[in-house]
Amino acid sequence: MAHPSQLGFQDAASPVMEELLHFHDHALMIVFLISTLVLYIIVAMVSTKLTNKYILDSQEIEIIWTILPAVILILIALPSLRILYLMDEINDPHLTIKAMGHQWYWSYEYTDYEDLGFDSYMIPTQDLTPGQFRLLETDHRMVVPVESPIRILVSAEDVLHSWAVPALGVKMDAVPGRLNQTAFITSRPGIFYGQCSEICGANHSFMPIVVEAVPLEHFENWSSLMLEDA
């Protein structure tokens, strides 16, 4: 859960998000080192009156400042491509959930069950109970089992939406007439918040996403209760 004045990312709740955090730190360190070197060179050039005649026309330095940036780009590109393919990998999901975007709420359908589906609306501010978060709580949460591969099929019924949960490292556009898919594994129990990340109209800010990760036994009990109510 994000908090005011937070400078970094939310704590990772999935293996892919942990990889993304490691890559962010890796790339940020490279940018920091490059910035430090460039700043040092600028300060040295401005503050000194000495001139090195061997640097004015040097093949060796030209080779270095051509090869070094290429090596740095490779050091950034290789882990980036690895994570990109990891995010696209969907291996034998234990559960498939279809998330449909509407103006302005989400509906979820557990396609492995016959009649398990519901709409998820934001809880108005005046109806919140102590401890609930404004603009982030919903009347029905998307409940998933912990440490199980979950496939999400994302689409929309009216305009463009985007199903995004930062702690899980998931963001997928919901396009009318198109079925996109993504996957995640929750590495720990918890409640993870997200919001529609595509401007979709007047109430774009009022269609939150709440994913609740629970142990498998609790998920089975929850699904049984939901089927009985249906």
Side-chain angles (χ1 to χ4, degrees):
M1 180 67 196
H3 56 80
S5 304
Q6 179 174 329
L7 295 178
F9 290 97
Q10 298 181 29
D11 292 337
S14 71
V16 168
M17 189 60 195
E18 289 179 8
E19 293 285 344
L20 287 171
L21 289 179
H22 291 321
F23 175 69
H24 169 265
D25 295 341
H26 167 72
L28 195 65
M29 184 56 64
I30 292 175
V31 170
F32 175 75
L33 292 174
I34 292 173
S35 302
T36 303
L37 176 63
V38 171
L39 182 63
Y40 168 76
I41 293 173
I42 291 173
V43 171
M45 291 181 66
V46 169
S47 60
T48 183
K49 296 181 180 179
L50 300 175
T51 301
N52 189 331
K53 64 180 182 179
Y54 296 107
I55 296 181
L56 294 178
D57 184 19
S58 173
Q59 294 291 334
E60 290 80 6
I61 287 183
E62 290 185 7
I63 292 172
I64 290 172
W65 72 34
T66 301
I67 294 178
L68 190 60
V71 172
I72 292 172
L73 287 175
I74 291 171
L75 290 176
I76 295 174
L78 290 180
S80 173
L81 288 172
R82 172 178 169 271
I83 297 173
L84 196 62
Y85 280 101
L86 280 176
M87 293 175 73
D88 267 347
E89 200 71 34
I90 300 176
N91 289 323
D92 191 22
H94 294 178
L95 185 66
T96 299
I97 304 172
K98 185 166 71 174
M100 290 288 292
H102 308 266
Q103 288 182 310
W104 287 272
Y105 65 95
W106 293 96
S107 62
Y108 299 102
E109 181 183 335
Y110 289 68
T111 57
D112 299 290
Y113 297 83
E114 191 170 342
D115 289 315
L116 182 49
F118 51 84
D119 296 331
S120 180
Y121 291 88
M122 186 194 76
I123 298 177
T125 304
Q126 63 270 18
D127 296 335
L128 292 174
T129 59
Q132 290 186 322
F133 299 104
R134 177 179 169 271
L135 301 183
L136 289 177
E137 296 289 351
T138 59
D139 56 355
H140 291 95
R141 294 170 175 170
M142 192 187 90
V143 181
V144 298
V146 174
E147 296 181 345
S148 296
I150 310 296
R151 175 171 56 190
I152 305 293
L153 304 176
V154 184
S155 187
E157 200 169 72
D158 35 48
V159 298
L160 290 175
H161 299 279
S162 184
W163 199 86
V165 183
L168 299 175
V170 175
K171 185 177 187 293
M172 181 58 65
D173 285 346
V175 183
R178 179 186 176 94
L179 198 63
N180 292 329
Q181 71 172 354
T182 185
F184 64 86
I185 301 174
T186 53
S187 52
R188 56 185 169 85
I191 300 172
F192 312 110
Y193 296 92
Q195 290 178 300
C196 176
S197 297
E198 189 77 49
I199 296 176
C200 56
N203 291 335
H204 159 67
S205 304
F206 307 113
M207 48 184 304
I209 300 157
V210 184
V211 178
E212 183 175 358
V214 298
L216 181 59
E217 182 182 351
H218 294 184
F219 173 78
E220 291 174 343
N221 294 336
W222 171 83
S223 59
S224 299
L225 289 173
M226 291 293 289
L227 288 170
E228 289 175 5
D229 293 341

